[in-house]
Amino acid sequence: MSLVYDERLDGALPRPDKAQLLQRLRAELPEHCLLHDREDLKPYECDGLAAYRTTPLLVVLPETVEQVQATLRLCHELQVPLVARGAGTGLSGGALPLEQGVLLVMARFNRILEVDPDGRRARVQPGVRNLAISQAAAPHDLYYAPDPSSQIACSIGGNVAENAGGVHCLKYGLTVHNVLAVEIVTLEGERLTLGGAALDSPGFDLLALFTGSEGLLGVVVEVTVKLLPKPPCARVVMASFADIERAGAAVADIIAAGIIPGGLEMMDNLTLRAAEDFIHAGYPVDAAAILLCELDGVEADVAADIERVSALLATAGATEIRLARDEAERQKFWAGRKNAFPAVGRLSPDYYCMDGTIPRRALPEVLRGIEALSAEYGLAVGNVFHAGDGNLHPLILFDANRPGELEQAEALGGRILDLCVAVGGTITGEHGVGREKINAMCTQFQSGELTFFHAVKAAFDAPGLLNPGKNVPTLHRCAEFGGLHVHRGQLPHPELERF
Amino acid sequence: MSLVYDERLDGALPRPDKAQLLQRLRAELPEHCLLHDREDLKPYECDGLAAYRTTPLLVVLPETVEQVQATLRLCHELQVPLVARGAGTGLSGGALPLEQGVLLVMARFNRILEVDPDGRRARVQPGVRNLAISQAAAPHDLYYAPDPSSQIACSIGGNVAENAGGVHCLKYGLTVHNVLAVEIVTLEGERLTLGGAALDSPGFDLLALFTGSEGLLGVVVEVTVKLLPKPPCARVVMASFADIERAGAAVADIIAAGIIPGGLEMMDNLTLRAAEDFIHAGYPVDAAAILLCELDGVEADVAADIERVSALLATAGATEIRLARDEAERQKFWAGRKNAFPAVGRLSPDYYCMDGTIPRRALPEVLRGIEALSAEYGLAVGNVFHAGDGNLHPLILFDANRPGELEQAEALGGRILDLCVAVGGTITGEHGVGREKINAMCTQFQSGELTFFHAVKAAFDAPGLLNPGKNVPTLHRCAEFGGLHVHRGQLPHPELERF
């Protein structure tokens, strides 16, 4: 599959009149909420996928829900495309601005509105950082479970938009499993609450539909999250392997044995060496791969699970099995993993982080496939996985200053995703589709599913103004990249052609 | 709120030509798949909410997915409304047939297609009974977690349609949290797979949208469920209270202490006496209320939790605390709870089972309110709750042969739901909206949310042929029952008036 983006396949977007738009915005928002000079706009030209950069037409930094409503109403009226963004840490270009669109930055919505220990929930504004929620809940021995590696910086609103995961989502679920309600503003500027305090909500599950919709259906202005009691005990086992495929097989063995680790991560030699150089986590630098397996719960439970996991690891051929001796060492083991991306970033001028999911049993096969592709393209690939979930993050090392190497990296990335789909997996685990995977969606989905995606999009945003060109490909794009049946040159569902 | 149904508020439905429809169906399905004589149709006139009865126009009992596709295509072409049904155990009239519509009965889709212990999942046809999945998985020490009280009889397809819960959903989640993928047939007869083996699926989360959509978006023809490892140990504590409000407060205390019981159920005196007479579970018949609290996990963990729970129950004022001494007694304690509805059915010619959800802290207040309403209407109310979830099942006792008593029961039920909404709860916990709560939806939701419900419905079923009159009220209905802003006699969104 191709990951190279051609914007003409998104159809013609409106070309707004910047002066008129600014004038109208000034009537609704104070001057300090509006950025329009080229140099003020520059810092907003990309998110965490820095290979793609576009300067937005305007940046709006609202401070109140009413200002968000006014901005959306205006964009709707004047037919101006709008991209909403949280902290901009996303890795799939989901918050990449549009040259002819407004970038709505929710950074100033940074207040924790309520921590309710009895109801075990917190009500927060979307710009609140993921980790700040757990910090606010800590005095009650509660925490918010999903923990993307970017949790120091990423915002909960962006987590909702991308349905973010993390090393603990194997046991505790993704964002969608940990959010009770969101308040949104629709394209028409209407305020709506999706979900609620109850376990189930009558009618259609719009909360789940909205979570992970990547800004295509509305803008989040408030989030109510579940808080979980902190496990009284958490310990981590590190196992070394002389062979990465054996490490992959051990992961499947642990899960098949009925153990649900708090986290189960794998790093290959390239990645663990990079992390060791950077963080000094105490990793065995001569291992072909390591597994980090965290067990949490009450003490006795954890002790029993550690024994079972250690036995399984030994049978699977681990050359060394080490239990973190204390909390400090446990934190160190995890710090290495959580900093694996920047660590690899020190090895190479550029790297490209992929994100695919495969059935766990296919791990050894896919690892062999990635190794062969790496050799074929002559680009090194580091492998760091949420192994328990089958969620892979191959890191492709390249140098963007060498002509053609970015394109080679993209081509190699596309081939890796093809491999994931071929073994029954998907093109994204937790980073989202965004701009990056928009062509790959055409490989993943058939025209039937895409038609429903478009119809759902039309239900919330008929003119297609919210984050166009992300997450859901147009029919034109899929006619180009497969997945769509084009009959005698006619696209199906002509009423949805604008998408 | 009113629970009395007036079908005129659903707008005019098509009136199909039965002879033509039958002739066309005979070209697609063998004769033994079609029922059309009045006496053959009779057994299908209601689901578990037997107060509502309608004889369907025709019953179709397909045996293959191709036959389901043909039936839907034909209904679409001839504009015939269609209601799909599983085992028909639902309690909200979600599978109530239409006099002028086809009833599609999925009973013959009763095969377990695959149990995959490595991937911890099972692929089954929609007519498979809930409990049969756990039985098939038992040799691998795995089970399917959601366990509605009707699990001996109810089908997994119906569980998906209603997003069914059960006594264990506090810890293990609802159906939506335990389903990995569904294969559906759309109104146009197209086969689609929603979800997949991966933790997260790119694009919009149509799987979650479909789960709990009550047959309004398509027909399930295959379900892939998660299987969980059986907890090695499960024990149940029974606590007696002299006062139902104290029992309610104890529930909130247990949850606030950070304990997540496998199940946490409450029964009041009326209900526990009825259950004791019926099942001889060993309940203390003089208690005002009992709590059943199950702890599961590894042995040491369970033992520690039992101590903590027992201490909390004692502090909350429990008059007696008993630990089921063995597995047989544990099963007996649960058998009483799971048979509470039929047990109450032995006390009174008729009963009406309500289903609302409230924040846990509001339990004592709502219990007082129900007591007062019971006195006001002169109808006894038994209370049996999934207390840990705040999911109430008040059972209103009445005699349908006494003129006006059904209407009084419905009126009382409506007042109880008003109370749930007033304290921040919802009008259904796990039984669904169906026909029963269709007016109550107008109280629960504002016009903004309803507009999106209708737009989502239109995305899947533009002519409104799938299960009309259930789950999502028409704008006409909400103009009658509140929730909708009618401006100068005009409904908003005239393009959605057919819904």
Side-chain angles (χ1 to χ4, degrees):
Chain A
M1 68 184 66
S2 168
L3 295 177
V4 180
Y5 183 72
D6 175 354
E7 69 174 17
R8 287 166 306 176
L9 294 170
D10 291 331
L13 282 176
R15 305 217 146 238
D17 175 340
K18 180 169 174 175
Q20 181 205 22
L21 178 61
L22 190 57
Q23 187 197 354
R24 294 287 303 275
L25 280 168
R26 281 177 167 144
E28 305 280 356
L29 292 101
E31 196 61 30
H32 69 271
C33 293
L34 301 170
L35 305 179
H36 47 85
D37 283 346
R38 202 152 177 91
E39 76 186 82
D40 291 339
L41 298 174
K42 188 83 183 157
Y44 295 97
E45 66 179 5
C46 69
D47 63 10
L49 183 65
Y52 299 158
R53 291 169 191 270
T54 312
T55 306
L57 187 70
L58 280 173
V59 167
V60 177
L61 285 149
E63 293 169 325
T64 67
V65 175
E66 291 69 27
Q67 291 171 353
V68 175
Q69 292 177 285
T71 307
L72 278 156
R73 259 187 229 115
L74 210 52
C75 285
H76 186 220
E77 181 196 332
L78 302 176
Q79 295 287 294
V80 181
L82 178 139
V83 177
R85 135 177 176 149
T89 56
L91 292 170
S92 60
L96 183 73
L98 293 165
E99 208 182 309
Q100 299 296 331
V102 165
L103 186 70
L104 186 72
V105 179
M106 298 300 286
R108 292 178 181 168
F109 279 73
N110 59 1
R111 284 188 304 129
I112 291 177
L113 302 170
E114 187 191 357
V115 174
D116 169 7
D118 277 352
R120 277 206 208 148
R121 60 184 171 231
R123 207 160 51 79
V124 304
Q125 289 189 319
V128 168
R129 291 173 306 108
N130 172 296
L131 193 61
I133 303 177
S134 290
Q135 286 164 344
H140 308 285
D141 276 329
L142 298 171
Y143 77 113
Y144 175 65
D147 57 343
S149 293
S150 56
Q151 68 181 143
I152 296 174
C154 66
S155 69
I156 187 72
N159 288 181
V160 169
E162 300 292 329
N163 191 20
V167 301
H168 287 92
C169 66
L170 171 64
K171 183 164 182 177
Y172 297 104
L174 300 163
T175 303
V176 69
H177 304 113
N178 290 278
V179 165
L180 293 166
V182 293
E183 194 176 341
I184 66 164
V185 174
T186 66
L187 177 61
E188 283 84 1
E190 199 173 352
R191 250 171 119 146
L192 276 187
T193 301
L194 311 181
L199 202 61
D200 187 22
S201 196
F204 300 130
D205 192 348
L206 299 185
L207 174 60
L209 180 70
F210 192 88
T211 307
S213 63
E214 303 194 7
L216 269 75
L217 305 182
V219 175
V220 186
V221 292
E222 194 180 298
V223 186
T224 304
V225 300
K226 266 188 219 169
L227 299 175
L228 295 184
K230 266 195 221 167
C233 168
R235 304 202 66 182
V236 64
V237 174
M238 177 167 65
S240 310
F241 288 85
D243 163 352
I244 191 165
E245 290 178 35
R246 280 184 191 221
V251 168
D253 292 342
I254 290 169
I255 301 295
I259 297 158
I260 305 180
L264 180 49
E265 299 284 313
M266 177 161 148
M267 296 163 80
D268 71 0
N269 180 266
L270 185 151
T271 323
L272 74 90
R273 266 192 296 122
E276 183 59 25
D277 283 351
F278 186 33
I279 298 290
H280 311 294
Y283 293 162
V285 292
D286 51 349
I290 58 168
L291 287 182
L292 294 174
C293 181
E294 178 155 301
L295 288 319
D296 61 7
V298 296
E299 189 111 21
D301 191 353
V302 170
D305 277 353
I306 286 173
E307 286 207 10
R308 290 173 69 204
V309 165
S310 302
L312 287 164
L313 289 166
T315 308
T319 52
E320 193 194 350
I321 299 169
R322 265 174 64 196
L323 180 66
R325 46 176 185 270
D326 53 23
E327 180 60 18
E329 193 172 55
R330 184 181 84 90
Q331 295 288 359
K332 242 175 154 187
F333 282 1
W334 282 122
R337 165 61 189 90
K338 290 205 177 186
N339 287 287
F341 292 8
V344 168
R346 298 164 77 232
L347 298 185
S348 167
D350 301 279
Y351 72 88
Y352 185 27
C353 170
M354 304 306 299
D355 171 45
T357 309
I358 57 167
R360 278 182 294 266
R361 277 285 168 211
L363 262 176
E365 175 189 349
V366 170
L367 287 168
R368 271 194 304 276
I370 292 175
E371 204 176 340
L373 286 167
S374 165
E376 182 182 334
Y377 283 80
L379 293 175
V381 178
N383 284 302
V384 48
F385 300 168
H386 301 309
D389 305 329
N391 183 192
L392 320 182
H393 292 316
L395 302 170
I396 302 171
L397 276 54
F398 69 100
D399 181 350
N401 287 325
R402 285 202 207 126
E405 217 166 80
L406 168 62
E407 290 71 21
Q408 279 297 95
E410 285 188 323
L412 170 52
R415 293 282 298 279
I416 291 174
L417 295 183
D418 282 335
L419 189 56
C420 293
V421 174
V423 299
T426 68
I427 56 163
T428 168
E430 56 183 12
H431 295 175
V433 174
R435 165 65 55 88
E436 182 196 23
K437 306 274 183 68
I438 193 79
N439 296 337
M441 285 289 281
C442 303
T443 309
Q444 178 93 56
F445 290 101
Q446 301 304 307
S447 73
E449 290 123 327
L450 287 170
T451 304
F452 284 106
F453 286 162
H454 291 143
V456 165
K457 169 72 169 167
F460 285 79
D461 171 19
L465 295 172
L466 297 175
N467 215 7
K470 320 276 175 67
N471 194 10
V472 176
T474 59
L475 296 175
H476 285 286
R477 183 171 297 281
C478 286
E480 183 80 17
F481 289 104
L484 191 73
H485 174 70
V486 181
H487 183 63
R488 298 189 182 180
Q490 294 288 302
L491 291 174
H493 310 286
E495 74 283 7
L496 295 173
E497 273 219 17
R498 65 185 174 285
F499 295 110
Chain B
M1 67 184 64
S2 167
L3 295 177
V4 179
Y5 183 72
D6 175 353
E7 70 174 19
R8 288 166 306 178
L9 294 171
D10 291 330
L13 281 175
R15 304 218 146 239
D17 175 339
K18 180 169 174 175
Q20 183 206 18
L21 177 62
L22 191 56
Q23 189 197 352
R24 293 288 304 276
L25 281 168
R26 282 179 167 144
E28 304 280 356
L29 292 103
E31 196 59 33
H32 69 272
C33 293
L34 302 169
L35 304 179
H36 45 85
D37 283 346
R38 200 148 181 94
E39 76 187 86
D40 291 339
L41 298 174
K42 189 80 183 161
Y44 296 96
E45 67 179 4
C46 69
D47 63 10
L49 184 65
Y52 298 156
R53 290 170 192 269
T54 312
T55 307
L57 186 68
L58 279 174
V59 167
V60 177
L61 284 148
E63 293 169 325
T64 67
V65 175
E66 291 70 26
Q67 292 172 352
V68 175
Q69 292 178 284
T71 306
L72 280 155
R73 261 188 226 115
L74 210 51
C75 284
H76 186 221
E77 181 196 332
L78 302 176
Q79 296 284 296
V80 181
L82 178 139
V83 178
R85 138 179 174 150
T89 55
L91 293 170
S92 61
L96 184 72
L98 294 166
E99 208 181 310
Q100 299 296 330
V102 164
L103 185 70
L104 186 73
V105 179
M106 298 299 286
R108 292 179 181 165
F109 279 74
N110 59 1
R111 284 187 305 130
I112 292 177
L113 302 170
E114 187 190 358
V115 174
D116 169 7
D118 277 353
R120 276 205 208 150
R121 61 184 172 230
R123 207 160 51 79
V124 303
Q125 289 190 317
V128 168
R129 291 173 306 109
N130 172 296
L131 192 60
I133 303 176
S134 291
Q135 286 164 344
H140 308 285
D141 277 330
L142 298 171
Y143 77 113
Y144 175 66
D147 58 343
S149 293
S150 57
Q151 70 180 139
I152 296 175
C154 66
S155 69
I156 187 72
N159 289 180
V160 169
E162 300 292 329
N163 192 18
V167 300
H168 287 92
C169 67
L170 170 63
K171 183 164 182 178
Y172 297 104
L174 299 164
T175 303
V176 70
H177 304 112
N178 289 277
V179 165
L180 293 166
V182 292
E183 194 177 341
I184 66 163
V185 173
T186 67
L187 177 61
E188 284 83 1
E190 201 173 351
R191 253 170 118 146
L192 277 187
T193 301
L194 311 180
L199 204 61
D200 188 21
S201 197
F204 300 130
D205 191 349
L206 299 185
L207 175 60
L209 180 68
F210 192 89
T211 307
S213 63
E214 303 195 6
L216 269 74
L217 305 182
V219 175
V220 186
V221 292
E222 193 179 300
V223 186
T224 304
V225 299
K226 265 189 221 169
L227 300 175
L228 296 184
K230 266 194 221 165
C233 168
R235 304 201 66 180
V236 62
V237 174
M238 177 168 66
S240 310
F241 289 84
D243 164 351
I244 192 166
E245 290 178 35
R246 282 184 187 221
V251 167
D253 292 342
I254 290 170
I255 302 295
I259 297 159
I260 306 181
L264 181 48
E265 299 284 313
M266 176 163 147
M267 297 163 79
D268 71 0
N269 179 265
L270 186 152
T271 323
L272 73 91
R273 266 192 297 122
E276 183 58 25
D277 283 349
F278 185 32
I279 298 290
H280 311 295
Y283 293 161
V285 292
D286 51 348
I290 59 170
L291 288 182
L292 294 174
C293 181
E294 179 155 301
L295 288 319
D296 62 8
V298 295
E299 189 110 22
D301 191 351
V302 170
D305 277 353
I306 287 173
E307 284 205 13
R308 291 173 69 203
V309 165
S310 302
L312 287 163
L313 289 166
T315 308
T319 53
E320 193 194 348
I321 299 170
R322 265 175 62 195
L323 180 65
R325 49 177 183 269
D326 52 24
E327 181 59 17
E329 193 172 58
R330 184 181 83 90
Q331 293 288 358
K332 242 173 152 188
F333 283 1
W334 281 121
R337 164 62 190 88
K338 290 206 175 185
N339 287 286
F341 292 9
V344 168
R346 297 165 78 233
L347 297 185
S348 165
D350 301 279
Y351 71 88
Y352 186 26
C353 169
M354 304 305 299
D355 171 46
T357 309
I358 58 169
R360 276 182 296 266
R361 276 285 169 213
L363 263 176
E365 174 189 350
V366 170
L367 287 169
R368 272 196 303 277
I370 292 176
E371 204 176 340
L373 286 167
S374 165
E376 183 183 334
Y377 283 81
L379 294 174
V381 178
N383 284 304
V384 48
F385 300 168
H386 300 311
D389 305 328
N391 182 193
L392 319 182
H393 292 315
L395 301 169
I396 303 171
L397 276 55
F398 70 100
D399 181 350
N401 286 324
R402 284 200 208 129
E405 215 163 85
L406 168 63
E407 291 71 21
Q408 279 296 94
E410 285 188 324
L412 170 52
R415 293 281 298 280
I416 291 174
L417 295 183
D418 282 336
L419 189 56
C420 292
V421 174
V423 299
T426 67
I427 56 162
T428 168
E430 55 182 14
H431 294 174
V433 174
R435 166 66 55 87
E436 181 195 22
K437 306 272 183 67
I438 193 79
N439 296 335
M441 286 289 282
C442 302
T443 309
Q444 177 94 55
F445 290 101
Q446 301 304 308
S447 73
E449 289 124 326
L450 287 170
T451 303
F452 284 107
F453 284 161
H454 290 143
V456 166
K457 169 69 170 169
F460 284 79
D461 171 19
L465 294 173
L466 297 175
N467 216 8
K470 318 279 174 66
N471 195 9
V472 175
T474 59
L475 296 174
H476 284 286
R477 182 171 297 282
C478 287
E480 183 78 19
F481 289 104
L484 192 74
H485 174 70
V486 181
H487 183 65
R488 297 192 183 176
Q490 294 287 302
L491 292 174
H493 309 286
E495 74 283 8
L496 294 172
E497 273 221 12
R498 65 186 174 284
F499 293 112

